[in-house]
Amino acid sequence: MSSTLPQSLRMTEASENELVETYQHLHAHPELSMQEHGTADYLAQRLQALGLEVFRCGGTGVVGILRNGEGPVVGLRADTDGLPVLEDTGLDYASSATGTLEDGTEVPVMHACGHDTHMATALKTAELYAAATDAWAGTIVFVLQPGEETAAGAKAMVEDGLWDRAPKPEIMFGQHVMGGPAGTVTLMPGAAMTTADSFKVTVMGQGSHGSMPEHSIDPIVLAASMVVRLQTIVSRQVAPQSAAVVTVGSFHAGLKENVIPDRAVFTLNVRTFDPAVRETVLTSIRRIIAGEAAASGAPEPVIEDVSNFPPLYNDPEAAEALAAEFRDELGAEQVIAGTPVMGSEDFGALADAIGVPSVFWFFGGFTAETLAAGPAPANHSPFFGPVAQPTLTTGVTAATRALFSQVGKR
């Protein structure tokens, strides 16, 4: 285990106040996935002012490299995108931003998943390390990644030559704010988050007047049968000991009550941990959709990929070592041994691209009083507003200690 963080890598009261101001600014100015142009400008300017080497990558991604002599290379990732959610937190710094979806629809935008906290803590961590070069040695690569919500960002950065343009880290770290108690961190070795696959299914039928159903192949009835049958995959084709989720998240068909439409469209989201279970579920989905269409005499439906999140796997040895670091830094009672969650992240793609280990942890964002009154607002909720402190300070401390475990002078 490395020694405790030196005083030069700890925040002063003034520094903590500035951290909160940064967070509030970022919270008030969210941008949609892969459209984070203003955010990227802001992040690049902040990192350049600290003396880091900065370059753009993957469109709206930003990479900052802090070199400090010979030593290990370690990476820290923070994601940058907001969500099409209308904020209802009542915060003084609540977002009033809007954005435009791919289909041209204008929507409200909110940092409903806490990526503002991730950026703010990463910037402060970079500031601390840039000002304390006598306390460590090596290279830190700050990866400020766009498009996490759509699984596009990590892939875009890797394909844009991230690891050809930046030093390759020996390990990648990342963190995420969640609805737990502020001041705590949660970490689990091994499988941490699921693979997630999303699809758009277009079911073709034959339109007709509502009074003449015999001349139709009703795509609403057909698609509804698919939706019901798809729910039997987990209950009847996956072993009870295995985890899987199949969700139909949207269903659209028709424009008028007395017109049988010629098509229906629904979207699917699938979450699994085990590759074999994933293959079973995906194969079953295609078989059921094709089979139901054939039974109705309809053309074979079109299934299109929407997004694919890789699994998130924490290297067991590195995760156990980091948990010990956190217990030493924060206190054993503040470090929670977590269990795998069914959410998904594209963080793992960054380390997988170069075959290095990675560790991802969560930090809590809500007060004991809030949690005592009931469950905290979930990520992606319009009410998701983590308390600024000690949430932000804990995020900075965890990130700083994780990096120090690799680059700290012994």
Side-chain angles (χ1 to χ4, degrees), residues 91-110:
L91 294 168
D92 293 341
Y93 47 91
S95 168
S96 59
T98 59
T100 304
L101 298 177
E102 288 185 2
D103 64 3
T105 304
E106 186 174 355
V107 293
V109 187
M110 175 191 174

Side-chain angles (χ1 to χ4, degrees), residues 6-212:
Q7 194 61 38
S8 57
L9 284 173
R10 297 185 183 279
M11 287 181 288
T12 63
E13 182 177 350
S15 185
E16 291 179 356
N17 292 336
E18 191 274 332
L19 169 63
V20 173
E21 292 173 2
T22 297
Y23 159 67
Q24 291 178 346
H25 169 82
L26 290 165
H27 184 89
H29 298 90
E31 295 174 292
L32 292 173
S33 303
M34 306 308 290
Q35 301 178 36
E36 309 92 333
H37 302 288
T39 302
D41 288 343
Y42 175 82
L43 296 170
Q45 291 166 7
R46 288 288 301 267
L47 292 175
Q48 286 169 341
L50 297 174
L52 276 69
E53 303 169 32
V54 177
F55 65 88
R56 302 295 183 91
C57 185
T60 45
V62 177
V63 179
I65 303 169
L66 182 58
R67 302 180 194 267
N68 188 32
E70 295 296 323
V73 180
V74 58
L76 177 70
R77 177 271 213 165
D79 39 11
T80 67
D81 51 334
L83 285 160
V85 173
L86 178 63
E87 181 159 358
D88 196 17
T89 61
L91 294 168
D92 293 341
Y93 47 91
S95 168
S96 59
T98 59
T100 304
L101 298 177
E102 288 185 2
D103 64 3
T105 304
E106 186 174 355
V107 293
V109 187
M110 175 191 174
H111 269 304
C113 201
H115 297 183
D116 44 1
T117 69
H118 309 164
M119 290 184 282
T121 54
L123 286 175
K124 180 56 67 176
T125 301
E127 178 185 315
L128 290 172
Y129 272 95
T133 53
D134 61 338
W136 62 282
T139 299
I140 303 174
V141 182
F142 293 90
V143 179
L144 298 166
Q145 179 214 302
E148 183 277 330
E149 297 293 351
T150 59
K155 182 174 183 287
M157 294 189 81
V158 169
E159 291 181 349
D160 195 27
L162 168 62
W163 300 128
D164 296 323
R165 303 161 67 186
K168 293 180 177 63
E170 298 160 31
I171 188 168
M172 281 295 301
F173 291 129
Q175 60 180 354
H176 202 300
V177 68
M178 296 290 277
T184 66
V185 297
T186 299
L187 193 152
M188 63 284 285
M193 302 182 81
T194 64
T195 300
D197 301 286
S198 294
F199 307 96
K200 174 184 175 183
V201 180
T202 302
V203 179
M204 275 79 71
Q206 183 171 300
S208 180
H209 195 285
S211 67
M212 294 180 284

